[in-house]
Amino acid sequence: MVPSHVFQNGTSLFQGLVERARKTVRGSADDIGWLQRDQSLPRTEDGTARFLEILDSVRKNEHKLPDSVVYLLVPGLFSNHGPLYFVKTKAYFSKMGLACHIAKIHSESSVSKNAREIKEYIEEIYWGSRKRVLLLGHSKGGVDSAAALSLYWPQLKDKVAGLVLAQSPYGGSPVASDILREGQLGDYVRLRKIMEILVSKVLKGDLQALEDLTYEKRKEFLQQHPLPLEASITPSVLTALSHVAHLELPIAADGNSTRIPVVMPLSAAMAACSQLLVARYGEKSDGLVTRKDAEVPGSVVVRPERKLDHAWMVYSSVKEEPGDQADTSQVCEALLTLFVEVAQKRRHEMAMKDE
């Protein structure tokens, strides 16, 4: 005779396994594009055509960015491992006589911690120059920048000219969510623990930084702290690049950490992730962020056809683009120029409406 509780336990285990499998297979299907499905939020405006016109003018050395503001570039996740991230763009802006800074934040920290640091950057720049700050954030840097404005708007509203987000998972990232979502089959191999070790031990970061980009955390944050700006530009873009990274090994024969070169075929990895997101969810992405999740409600969006992967903004700084392609600095200038145009247009429309 077999006790009934054995059958009950077996049934419970099987049901648990089925539920984990269902959750794993379903993944982020119900979350991708959740901002666009929310009918209470304002619609976006497509600014791609005008962006391409501006970009063409920029490549012909026609520059229109004003020097009445200070430009602050905010890098994304793992920027501490890319020392040239935005450096080329900063030098490019300086040559045009524009004041430009790079926010030296620890990008692997949580969104709330980086938001506070960005707030302090803005205040320091403003009080030193008496000019408002126009921000451009890439990847998680855009999320961190938006969070700074959401959390500290009363203190920053007179000091900020606007915000441009480039490839930012404003609504969340399916990659981060699929990796960290609890109750999946990955729990059996302790996938979350593996990621925690990778982020904290190898990359010297905080797992919270990645968790803050999941759909669950983004929904929670945006419901409590919506973005206050009326005009923001969110390009969502895709390319193919590679990079040689360095892995820091915690143990060596002499007891010291060792740095060894590890070839990271980033182009292949991004392409594989992009194809996976298309195959699994039918969504266009840059390998990490889908277009739908990069677009901020009520903003002007840029959707170029040029295939740029998520790391292009980082590693284009260390390689020359083909002669017929715009580089990172030119794209940043065009995005910011478009923002200035949009802001001026909206201010004019508001003034006419008041009259």
Side-chain angles (χ1 to χ4, degrees), residues 223-235:
Q223 287 168 0
Q224 296 177 9
H225 311 287
L227 185 65
L229 289 184
E230 294 183 358
S232 58
I233 300 175
T234 53

Side-chain angles (χ1 to χ4, degrees), residues 51-277:
F51 165 77
L52 293 175
E53 291 175 356
I54 295 172
L55 184 59
D56 185 58
S57 297
V58 165
R59 300 191 67 215
K60 294 176 181 176
N61 292 319
E62 298 174 14
H63 309 291
K64 297 181 180 180
L65 278 180
D67 60 3
S68 56
V69 299
V70 177
Y71 301 90
L72 180 61
L73 309 176
V74 185
L77 200 61
F78 308 131
S79 61
N80 302 307
H81 303 278
L84 297 180
Y85 199 165
F86 274 143
V87 169
K88 183 179 178 180
T89 302
K90 180 179 182 296
Y92 174 84
F93 277 45
S94 298
K95 288 180 180 179
M96 292 191 291
L98 303 174
C100 183
H101 301 270
I102 301 173
K104 299 296 184 181
I105 58 175
H106 189 67
S107 60
E108 289 83 62
S109 295
S110 67
V111 167
S112 60
K113 182 178 183 298
N114 284 344
R116 185 171 60 253
E117 292 187 9
I118 292 170
K119 167 193 176 276
E120 293 170 357
Y121 259 104
I122 293 171
E123 291 178 326
E124 182 178 345
I125 291 172
Y126 177 80
W127 292 119
S129 65
R130 288 294 176 176
K131 293 182 179 180
R132 293 195 299 164
V133 179
L134 180 50
L135 298 96
L136 187 153
H138 174 247
S139 186
K140 182 175 177 288
V143 174
D144 293 337
S145 300
L149 304 187
S150 297
L151 293 170
Y152 304 106
W153 187 239
Q155 299 99 305
L156 298 178
K157 63 181 180 180
D158 296 325
K159 304 177 181 69
V160 172
L163 170 64
V164 175
L165 295 93
Q167 297 173 289
S168 296
Y170 186 75
S173 167
V175 176
S177 298
D178 289 351
I179 291 174
L180 298 179
R181 186 180 295 108
E182 295 182 349
Q184 300 185 109
L185 292 175
D187 292 351
Y188 289 123
V189 294
R190 305 185 72 185
L191 182 59
R192 185 184 181 87
K193 186 63 178 178
I194 293 172
M195 286 302 301
E196 184 176 355
I197 293 173
L198 175 64
V199 173
S200 61
K201 301 298 183 183
V202 178
L203 299 174
K204 309 302 182 184
D206 183 351
L207 186 64
Q208 187 64 48
L210 189 61
E211 192 161 12
D212 282 346
L213 303 181
T214 63
Y215 290 112
E216 180 183 2
K217 292 296 183 181
R218 291 305 296 157
K219 289 178 181 179
E220 180 182 324
F221 183 90
L222 292 175
Q223 287 168 0
Q224 296 177 9
H225 311 287
L227 185 65
L229 289 184
E230 294 183 358
S232 58
I233 300 175
T234 53
S236 36
V237 286
L238 290 184
T239 226
L241 303 168
S242 37
H243 174 58
V244 176
H246 286 83
L247 173 67
E248 184 171 318
L249 301 179
I251 301 176
D254 58 359
N256 297 318
S257 295
T258 304
R259 291 175 65 82
I260 59 174
V262 181
V263 175
M264 299 292 290
L266 201 54
S267 58
M270 290 294 169
C273 284
S274 179
Q275 289 301 313
L276 176 62
L277 292 176

